[in-house]
Amino acid sequence: MALRLFNTASQQLEDFTPLNAPVVRMYTCGPTVYNYVHIGNFRTFAFQDILRRWLAYRGYQLDHVMNITDVEDKIIRGAMAENKSLREYTQQYEDAFLEDSATLRLQKPERIARATEHIDDMVEAIQALTEGGHTYVSEGSVYFRIATFPRYGRLSRLHVEGMQAGARVDMDEYEKDDARDFVLWKAQRDGEPGWDTPLGQGRPGWHIECSTMANKYLGDTLDIHTGGIDLTFPHHENEIAQAECISHKQFVRYWLHAEHLIVEGQKMSKSLGNFYTLRDVLQRGYSPEAIRYRLTAVPYRNKLNFTFADLDAAETAIDRLRNFALRLATGKFKEGKCPEVEARIARARAEFETDMDDDLNTAGALGAIFEYVRETNAAMDSGEFCAGNVEDAKALLSAFDRIFDVLTPTPREGSLSDAEVDALIAERQRARMERNFKRSDEIRDELAAQGIILEDTRDGIRWKRK
Ligand code: AMP
Ligand code: ZN
């Protein structure tokens, strides 16, 4: 079955094929670095990671660009309040974002582009729009006249007929359903930072940043553009208007939007004050893998309700998978290949792939894997699993983990590496053989203190992390 994705533009599931296979050209709206990113934001970034990984699984090669919004209304307010340069102010949050993304095992896009390093490109884009008759100047700022782009509002199904001609906004973000001429270039005022350009002293608006960088690195037509659902209007609508008025070509073939992470029915957001950063949640003792699991387990077009009980359940679910992996690695099974098991593995893989191809139905894919693990554990208990099935079973688990990436525990600070644990266990065995019980007890205590659990099984000693 082919990969199908829900395109916001058509409001339908569509078969996915890139324009120039095997390369997929994809653009993601990155963070606005004025504070720590919260886990609601990470829901959207985690969706993009699953999308990347699934495209790679299906043999595509990614050319993925993400911007860092490092000049914008909120950033300027924050930097001015702290008396810092833009760069000083944004760098700390950009670093934190990249660090948190790595903690959550989000693959890095092929290119990360900062808005402030593309001012000249944006100025050129605005000049091209002016040549095309799409702009006007008011009090030194340049605005996009949306009446010059009849398709305006199509992505978000907004009816713009009722709008006041010439009504405009200066803010980077504005209210839903408030279609207005939007600002491309803001004239400098009140000690705000600015760049000296042919458009005057000033700075770009938020919207021009994304379409300009997307087109610069990915060409006129992108395969995929992603973001959170709240970006559909006005941000993405404005990106389309800007890009298509310059290139006269379709800007984006597939628009994918992630639904919100919510807390008690409300969107998690900085302005509502109901947010947790990744650091907040880690401090409560949850593992990065559990958070990653939770953020990706709900299919991206469903709202994700955030609770700590669900994070506990995620820890348990991951444990079950790790125990299964350990059993595959260390269990002793009868010789040969059991055909029923072989068929069961093939069915689980087919179900997993079908669900992921179905608009990244992660809940279905996880369900298929857990059902298979449950049945296979039962087969092992009753001696109906064979040594000849181990390789296939391992291959399936690693295929699963290429996408979900939760099987390897994140080392806790100051913790022993796997090799160190193995060495200590071997030393403890030797100490016991030499009847040096003092040393063997010391090692047992040290391992226990590190949260390493030893199990004496028929097949020898095996261990796992708590
Ligand atoms: P921002 O830094 O505000 O530009 O947001 C970065 C990304 O996170 C955008 O794609 C937003 O749409 C997305 N986002 C913001 N809040 C949430 C939320 N509560 N749940 C999911 N995604 C969100
Ligand atoms: Zn954007």
Side-chain angles (χ1 to χ4, degrees), residues 27 29 67 206 210 225 235-236 239:
Y27 185 87
C29 290
N67 68 304
W206 172 36
C210 283
H225 193 316
H235 185 51
H236 291 161
E239 277 193 56

Side-chain angles (χ1 to χ4, degrees), residues 29-34 37-45 48 69 74 173 206 226-231 258-262 267-270:
C29 290
T32 307
V33 282
Y34 72 105
V37 162
H38 59 66
I39 56 165
N41 301 128
F42 274 120
R43 198 272 163 121
T44 294
F45 295 117
Q48 282 144 190
T69 299
K74 295 187 294 279
E173 288 178 83
W206 172 36
T226 67
I229 188 87
D230 55 307
L231 298 189
E259 253 299 348
H260 283 143
L261 180 146
I262 56 171
K267 173 189 172 193
M268 179 175 281
S269 78
K270 281 167 208 154

